[in-house]
Amino acid sequence: MMARSIAVTSPLIQAPALILSALTTAQEANAFMNQFNFDLNNHYHSSMRRLMVDVHTRHGNALADANPMSAARYRGMAQGLERVALSVLNDSILYHACSEMVDELERLHEEMMAEPNDAEGEV
């Protein structure tokens, strides 16, 4: 009998660049969220943190795909989370975190929009 070996490659090795980009963006989002004092024993804080990471990640993916309309939708969602934290939950810690995320998404958007103009000026 002949022994046969089957080569199995890891799914991560076969993963497209988009998935790897999404993982990087999720790691960046988690790093951004870690600077805030979320009380993860508080259900609202843990749920809001998950939503914020999701919005931040999807916004980053939209920017990476050069899709400004989709990125604008995620900035709108971030502003909605900010309003919920202030008006519905009345939680100043969540409001501050959401406000900072809105500012961060705006900054990232402005950087993306400025890149083509900078390249034209250098030529």
Side-chain angles (χ1 to χ4, degrees):
M1 252 193 201
M2 294 180 81
R4 291 186 182 182
S5 65
I6 298 173
V8 178
T9 57
S10 168
L12 286 179
I13 293 172
Q14 298 172 355
L18 181 60
I19 292 174
L20 295 176
S21 172
L23 290 174
T24 302
T25 307
Q27 290 169 348
E28 291 169 358
N30 275 317
F32 177 77
M33 295 304 154
N34 286 338
Q35 68 182 321
F36 302 108
N37 294 323
F38 288 101
D39 176 7
L40 297 180
N41 293 322
N42 181 331
H43 173 70
Y44 295 121
H45 280 228
S46 60
S47 295
M48 184 68 84
R49 187 180 192 287
R50 264 193 306 273
L51 288 170
M52 292 172 68
V53 167
D54 187 50
V55 167
H56 193 287
T57 301
R58 290 174 186 258
H59 179 265
N61 290 338
L63 292 179
D65 293 341
N67 188 345
M69 293 299 291
S70 183
R73 288 185 189 105
Y74 292 116
R75 285 193 311 279
M77 289 179 193
Q79 292 169 346
L81 293 176
E82 180 183 33
R83 291 181 189 128
V84 166
L86 179 64
S87 301
V88 177
L89 300 176
N90 196 23
D91 190 319
S92 61
I93 294 171
L94 287 180
Y95 172 74
H96 175 70
C98 290
S99 179
E100 289 292 321
M101 184 178 72
V102 168
D103 293 344
E104 174 72 6
L105 298 185
E106 289 292 333
R107 184 189 64 75
L108 292 171
H109 174 74
E110 289 173 7
E111 283 181 8
M112 183 194 83
M113 297 307 287
E115 286 177 6
N117 294 338
D118 292 342
E120 290 174 7
E122 292 176 2
V123 175

